[in-house]
Amino acid sequence: MRAYILAILSLIAIGLTGCNKQIDSSRALATIRAIHGDVFYHPADLDSRIKLQTSDVSRSLFHLDKLVVGKDSFLHLQFDDQGDLFIEPESTLIVQRPEPNTRFKVFAKLVSGIFSCFVEKQNSNFAVQTPVTVAGVLGTAFRVEVSTEATEIALVESRSGIELQSLEQDLKMPPLLTMGTTATGGISGSAISIREALTMESAPRIAEGIRKIENIHEYSYLAGYAASQPVRKALLDYNVRTTTIQR
């Protein structure tokens, strides 16, 4: 009798686990806010791709959905209650469901290309992943570029900076990107180029490569389009940005 009861309880537990997995995997993680040019959507559960149209604005995105932005094109994504990504031409991004019990919650993986990111939520542990690092942020505007040679991360505005973690998020003394001041009293950002995956051994050496960005106003992001061409706005121009993004 006892064995029978244990078997029934095991079946119930398996059923509950399956339900929880189904509910979690069906939770929308991001929303498309703007599309320009050739942007292809690869749903995680299909072996096909879909060319996005203007009618796909407000489409929800889910775990492992892949987006490929073509030449002279761009895409704006909003991660609910987190922030916005402006994805540049010739970029590939995969939407991620954050893993539980990690220091930072990875919502997106940039496979190749460039995006500008705005994280607005206070006390957020939002993060993005590249082939070599996890960038965890708090109230930050930053730019990530992934190429075959390196990952370049540029911090241009922040309350608390960017912490660079290994892909396993196990570094005890990770490199940090923070804001600073210029010789004339202005605001400076910081940037780093990472050419190999962050490890416990490589982190101190890579941290020495952090450099100041003296003129952070030179950085820009793709904000919209006019006359069939993307419009670039200064990365720090929040007044313009908030009127551009339709919430």
Side-chain angles (χ1 to χ4, degrees), residues 122-183:
Q122 292 283 348
N123 301 317
S124 172
N125 56 356
F126 178 90
V128 298
Q129 181 178 324
T130 78
V132 297
T133 187
V134 169
V137 302
L138 174 62
T140 300
F142 65 105
R143 181 178 182 272
V144 178
E145 178 175 356
V146 171
S147 68
T148 56
E149 291 79 24
T151 287
E152 180 89 11
I153 300 175
L155 173 68
V156 294
E157 184 170 57
S158 174
R159 299 184 185 95
S160 300
I162 293 179
E163 178 178 314
L164 302 178
Q165 272 289 342
S166 66
L167 299 182
E168 293 77 24
Q169 299 194 41
D170 59 1
L171 297 185
K172 303 300 182 185
M173 299 182 65
L176 298 172
L177 300 183
T178 58
M179 303 300 292
T181 56
T182 65

Side-chain angles (χ1 to χ4, degrees), residues 68 107 206 232:
V68 179
F107 282 86
I206 291 175
R232 287 191 170 274

Side-chain angles (χ1 to χ4, degrees), residues 183-203:
T184 58
I187 299 174
S188 69
S190 56
I192 188 170
S193 180
I194 304 173
R195 298 185 180 276
E196 60 186 54
L198 277 179
T199 65
M200 299 290 279
E201 295 75 21
S202 68

Side-chain angles (χ1 to χ4, degrees), residues 30-62:
T31 305
I32 295 174
R33 291 302 182 197
I35 304 165
H36 174 68
D38 296 327
V39 179
F40 295 94
Y41 168 52
H42 300 245
D45 56 350
L46 296 176
D47 293 328
S48 60
R49 69 175 188 173
I50 301 167
K51 183 177 179 180
L52 294 177
Q53 310 295 329
T54 54
S55 58
D56 288 302
V57 171
S58 298
R59 175 191 282 269
S60 295
L61 299 173
F62 301 86

